[in-house]
Amino acid sequence: MDYVACLDESYVTDARYRSIACCSLARHQMPYGSERLEAIVAEHGLKEFKWSGLKDGRSRNCASALLSFVFDVLLHYGLRIDVLIWDTQDRRHEVRGRDDHANFERMFFHLLAACMRRRGNGTRWWIRADHRDGVDWETIHDCLAARGRHGLAPMPILEDDLVQLDGFGIESFLTVRSHEASEVQLADLFAGIAVFSGDNYSEYARWLSQSVGQAELFQDVPELSFSNRQRYRFEVLRELNHHCKRRRLGVSLETSHRLRTLDGKNPLNFWLYEPQHEADKAPIKSSYRCR
């Protein structure tokens, strides 16, 4: 099978929790998917959908329509959405002089390699990633290509204990601008909502109880007011949670207090990265290595 993988990141500059999402679909299905996603964004009067811009009714309605298309159509066509979230305050990342660009490259590789592995042997890939300055895209490409053909060349961003992948081929690896790629905008939606769900779960639970008239669940706690930006995002999160429950996709929200999938084989996989062993540490900037 031939697949297209589209990736975008969210909250990767200064937030505690950061994420990258990968949307993968069979290549012969991608033209239809891209056309419909682009039409949905245009129908809502937007030039581009961005999670960071979700602060009014128009962008909220666009997010709702995108979710409906994903759950009602694209998942039936074999879409996978894998979202990797990492905590910059865990024992892996709390290192002096952490190199966030190099760490992003490693997380990008972890996510894409896991996505490819789940698609099985002998697959070929066309990869489209939202461009981000400061990232060594050429190294990522070379590492993936070498691992796909079981190459033995040095791969500087790889961990020694990464699971070996079955053979695959990378036919194309391009960085794109998100406003030119509707499928990358879809990845942005899931990357953004993944971090938002954890950062704002307590406020979301309060909003949800107030919106359905169950404020007694928070007795002795004064009723909160929420901004339009918060309410629109809470509405999208609630809708996503309903879609997942209705289709029994194994996505936890209430139990984990964030979007999280316990079985990574599921087509919607929210994956909270955990350090693999004591030596699993984020890379540090070269200027700190001699100190």
Side-chain angles (χ1 to χ4, degrees):
M1 285 287 290
D2 294 347
Y3 290 97
V4 178
C6 301
L7 300 97
D8 200 359
E9 75 283 345
S10 192
Y11 298 94
V12 295
T13 54
D14 55 4
R16 172 178 174 178
Y17 288 93
R18 307 177 185 189
S19 65
I20 310 172
C22 176
C23 299
S24 62
L25 186 65
R27 189 173 180 231
H28 70 276
Q29 301 282 12
M30 187 57 75
Y32 166 71
S34 298
E35 182 180 344
R36 282 299 307 139
L37 291 170
E38 184 176 342
I40 289 169
V41 173
E43 287 165 4
H44 288 85
L46 302 177
K47 294 182 178 179
E48 175 185 6
F49 176 84
K50 292 187 71 68
W51 174 259
S52 61
L54 203 167
K55 55 188 177 182
D56 55 30
R58 183 170 58 173
S59 54
R60 179 257 178 272
N61 291 339
C62 182
S64 175
L66 290 172
L67 291 178
S68 294
F69 183 57
V70 165
F71 287 97
D72 295 341
V73 180
L74 288 183
L75 287 181
H76 297 290
Y77 288 177
L79 176 72
R80 273 196 68 89
I81 301 177
D82 293 278
V83 187
L84 178 59
I85 308 106
W86 63 97
D87 180 1
T88 60
Q89 296 182 19
D90 67 14
R91 63 178 176 82
R92 180 185 188 276
H93 292 89
E94 279 200 318
V95 294
R96 188 180 179 188
R98 185 181 69 227
D99 188 335
D100 282 331
H101 285 309
N103 192 60
F104 174 86
E105 292 163 11
R106 294 192 182 196
M107 290 300 176
F108 186 100
F109 178 87
H110 274 298
L111 175 62
L112 194 51
C115 179
M116 289 177 169
R117 180 163 47 85
R118 291 188 178 108
R119 291 295 193 179
N121 299 349
T123 54
R124 298 190 303 169
W125 291 83
W126 282 255
I127 300 167
R128 303 291 180 265
D130 184 43
H131 182 80
R132 182 174 176 229
D133 292 335
V135 175
D136 188 348
W137 295 107
E138 184 175 352
T139 294
I140 293 176
H141 171 267
D142 291 346
C143 291
L144 287 165
R147 180 53 60 91
R149 60 177 180 267
H150 301 291
L152 300 177
M155 293 177 286
I157 69 169
L158 304 190
E159 310 288 353
D160 291 339
D161 62 336
L162 273 180
V163 64
Q164 288 290 332
L165 301 175
D166 294 315
F168 60 86
I170 298 179
E171 301 299 318
S172 174
F173 190 117
L174 299 175
T175 59
V176 298
R177 301 295 179 178
S178 59
H179 68 275
E180 300 172 345
S182 57
E183 58 274 20
V184 170
Q185 296 170 41
L186 185 65
D188 176 82
L189 168 58
F190 281 87
I193 202 170
V195 174
F196 177 82
S197 68
D199 285 351
N200 299 272
Y201 181 78
S202 60
E203 292 86 354
Y204 168 76
R206 291 282 303 279
W207 168 83
L208 187 63
S209 68
Q210 291 177 192
S211 66
V212 297
Q214 295 181 340
E216 66 273 9
L217 295 177
F218 294 90
Q219 293 180 3
D220 302 323
V221 178
E223 185 168 316
L224 295 179
S225 59
F226 302 96
S227 67
N228 287 338
R229 182 188 182 95
Q230 287 176 305
R231 288 191 294 103
Y232 289 129
R233 293 184 178 202
F234 290 154
E235 289 169 3
V236 174
L237 178 57
R238 177 177 60 184
E239 186 170 348
L240 172 60
N241 193 37
H242 286 171
H243 279 299
C244 292
K245 282 183 166 52
R246 188 166 73 247
R247 289 163 178 78
R248 300 182 179 180
L249 294 178
V251 177
S252 165
L253 176 59
E254 293 83 1
T255 302
S256 299
H257 291 187
R258 66 168 53 253
L259 290 167
R260 190 170 186 178
T261 308
L262 300 181
D263 185 354
K265 295 178 182 178
N266 290 345
L268 181 52
N269 176 32
F270 292 98
W271 168 20
L272 181 63
Y273 187 87
E274 296 177 354
Q276 303 300 296
H277 47 70
E278 286 300 321
D280 183 7
K281 298 293 184 181
I284 62 175
K285 297 175 182 177
S286 57
S287 59
Y288 280 80
R289 291 173 185 163
C290 299
R291 298 185 180 184

